[in-house]
Amino acid sequence: MNFETALAELAAFPLVEALFGRRSRRFALGDEIPDGPLAYRSKHDPVSLTDLERMLVLSAMGGTTGWHYSITRHARYAPHVSNYAGGAAGRTFPSAAGFHTAELFFTDDSGLYFFPTRDAGALVDPAVEEVTSELMVERHRERLRRLSAGRLHLPAEEPYLEGHNTWCVNVPGSLLVIPVADIAQHLIAILCFFAQNGYAIYDDVNGRKLPGLEEFGGLVDVEEPFPLTFTEQYALTEATAELATACYAGVLMLQAMGLGGWMFDGIDRFSMLGASGDPNVPGLGFRYDEDERWPTPNPTGREGVFEAYCPPRYRNMAAAVEAFAGRKFGPGGPFHRDTPGAWTDSPGFRGSAPVHDDEFKACVALQAQYVLDTFGKFPGTVPTVFIMNYVQAHHLDLDFYDRFFKPGAYLRTHATHMQKWHGEEENL
């Protein structure tokens, strides 16, 4: 196996070929479609992704790529910079105002893992080095955190998987990547964003203004607030964009490498997060709560791994807001003078951002605590933690495609993948 050649060809793979050649290619080595016009049983055993293959997919989906440039001007702050961002580094996918609230979990034949990068800082820096696939793999490998041995268990049946996915999802040999968003933290970021621009919220579900908000009339417009439901939908959709673009970045990498797979949402998210109701299907093992006011269970995180910015991790929402401010302005944060950056005067740029003072944090915390007290959870009308898309990567069974599809069903990278990446002359 000549990794240098494979990586060089990967680096030269045209973006337009990845875009125009993208397809969902679901049939992996070892798969079977038992009936119908495409009935077929693979003649080959499943082949797990190598460590290099796995790290390339993960780096594409969630790798840090240098220091992000931040949003540099708003008349309300001039001459200071806008202090919106939650993280200091850019990743392979965008995040609204640099909030960066999503992280990746994944599972394969070797276990269940967490791949945290949102607060890792810039693990590569294009200002001082050439960012290559090899460097991304090298710098990100140490971020892996193994949570358990063995593949995550999801029964290959409904309701755990949608019916059309029961034959092909989380199969032996596959890598299943699971982006997860902290909507609680994202909503805090939006409430901060609103307050930074003079806005607040009101409870349109119950038709009332938030008690006590009038005390902050010098900071926010208490007469023309935004609806709570609009604000929470804002948080959910912005965070979902992180999940979706992370997945799309991964899918483009699959085309360049010649791996099969696709992005999809056909796994029951409650089962995945740990709220299946079946102790034999723990999913990611997230804590969840139930309440007669909520139509569905509400997961809040896995202790010590990924915990949403709300109770039970924090005693109240004031503590969660304080923690979010610490993420932004503390060591390693985007607005700490000592955090490296992309600018010729990075300490001057980062230090220019105004710090959230006690009045500001109290204003945000009052709104957040109202939501928690009124609805019993935070956010009140959307999930605290959210999953939308997944990416599965696997080795493609070319025999299946050669038998049932016209030429062009897979790319040249798929045709040569096993020889280039595994040193095998045939797709075995």
Side-chain angles (χ1 to χ4, degrees):
M1 184 182 336
N2 188 338
F3 288 136
E4 291 184 2
T5 299
L7 289 168
E9 293 184 8
L10 174 64
F13 190 77
L15 172 63
V16 291
E17 191 168 349
L19 288 170
F20 300 158
R22 185 213 57 80
R23 284 293 181 274
S24 296
R25 297 180 174 92
R26 293 173 169 84
F27 201 96
L29 295 177
D31 269 355
E32 179 182 7
I33 298 176
D35 47 38
L38 301 183
Y40 188 82
R41 175 182 291 180
S42 176
K43 301 180 178 65
H44 311 294
D45 293 330
V47 176
S48 300
L49 272 65
T50 65
D51 174 71
L52 175 60
E53 291 173 320
R54 180 175 72 175
M55 284 307 308
L56 286 168
V57 175
L58 293 171
S59 297
M61 291 186 64
T64 69
T65 52
W67 304 107
H68 74 61
Y69 301 160
S70 194
I71 296 174
T72 54
R73 186 186 186 277
H74 189 298
R76 187 179 178 89
Y77 303 99
H80 306 292
V81 299
S82 305
N83 56 350
Y84 300 147
R91 292 193 280 182
T92 52
F93 60 90
S95 175
F99 293 163
H100 281 289
T101 60
E103 296 278 32
L104 303 185
F105 290 79
F106 70 92
T107 188
D108 61 12
D109 294 326
S110 68
L112 173 65
Y113 297 81
F114 183 45
F115 181 55
T117 60
R118 72 185 181 193
D119 293 317
L123 299 180
V124 298
D125 188 349
V128 298
E129 59 195 350
E130 181 184 0
V131 179
T132 64
S133 297
E134 298 95 316
L135 188 66
M136 290 288 286
V137 166
E138 175 189 337
R139 298 282 174 80
H140 286 83
R141 184 177 279 118
E142 297 304 315
R143 302 300 301 174
L144 301 187
R145 179 178 173 186
R146 194 182 193 205
L147 302 178
S148 61
R151 180 178 292 278
L152 180 144
H153 173 58
L154 283 173
E157 60 189 45
E158 297 179 288
Y160 307 103
L161 305 178
E162 291 185 0
H164 58 273
N165 284 329
T166 55
W167 67 275
C168 58
V169 165
N170 200 32
V171 294
S174 67
L175 166 71
L176 181 62
V177 189
I178 309 145
V180 182
D182 178 358
I183 309 300
Q185 183 184 171
H186 208 100
L187 181 55
I188 290 174
I190 287 176
L191 291 176
C192 288
F193 176 88
F194 277 9
Q196 286 160 302
N197 289 279
Y199 308 129
I201 62 171
Y202 77 96
D203 181 356
D204 58 310
V205 176
N206 295 295
R208 59 176 178 247
K209 293 183 177 181
L210 275 55
L213 191 60
E214 63 276 2
E215 298 177 17
F216 301 98
L219 182 63
V220 297
D221 184 349
V222 298
E223 298 303 322
E224 295 292 337
F226 280 97
L228 170 65
T229 56
F230 167 84
T231 306
E232 294 193 340
Q233 290 166 13
Y234 204 83
L236 182 65
T237 52
E238 281 192 344
T240 301
E242 290 191 30
L243 306 181
T245 51
C247 287
Y248 194 59
V251 167
L252 293 182
M253 178 61 84
L254 300 187
Q255 316 313 308
M257 293 177 65
L259 286 169
W262 77 112
M263 64 180 283
F264 63 105
D265 67 348
I267 301 176
D268 176 63
R269 62 180 56 93
F270 299 106
S271 298
M272 178 59 78
L273 288 173
S276 70
D278 183 347
N280 295 316
V281 186
L284 295 177
F286 280 30
R287 172 200 168 120
Y288 69 94
D289 297 290
E290 296 179 279
D291 189 293
E292 62 182 10
R293 293 170 290 180
W294 314 335
T296 57
N298 187 55
T300 55
R302 178 165 172 159
E303 185 176 359
V305 180
F306 181 95
E307 298 174 87
Y309 274 53
C310 62
R313 181 184 182 187
Y314 299 101
R315 66 183 182 278
N316 54 34
M317 292 311 300
V321 170
E322 189 67 44
F324 182 65
R327 182 183 176 220
K328 294 174 65 169
F329 300 103
F335 305 112
H336 191 281
R337 289 185 62 89
D338 296 337
T339 301
W343 308 274
T344 53
D345 180 14
S346 292
F349 180 89
R350 294 201 187 280
S352 167
V355 176
H356 295 336
D357 60 21
D358 289 343
E359 180 189 22
F360 181 95
K361 289 183 286 189
C363 177
V364 174
L366 180 144
Q367 297 173 81
Q369 189 66 43
Y370 172 88
V371 172
L372 178 64
D373 292 343
T374 302
F375 296 91
K377 65 185 184 73
F378 184 84
T381 63
V382 300
T384 297
V385 171
F386 191 64
I387 289 176
M388 173 53 71
N389 301 108
Y390 312 88
V391 165
Q392 180 165 303
H394 51 241
H395 291 107
L396 210 58
D397 189 328
L398 301 184
D399 294 343
F400 170 82
Y401 290 90
D402 289 340
R403 175 169 175 176
F404 291 108
F405 287 80
K406 297 176 182 178
Y410 51 83
L411 304 179
R412 55 189 171 89
T413 50
H414 298 103
T416 60
H417 176 87
M418 296 304 287
Q419 191 276 326
K420 284 195 302 184
W421 295 86
H422 293 258
E424 300 178 14
E425 294 299 331
E426 298 180 5
N427 196 0
L428 298 175

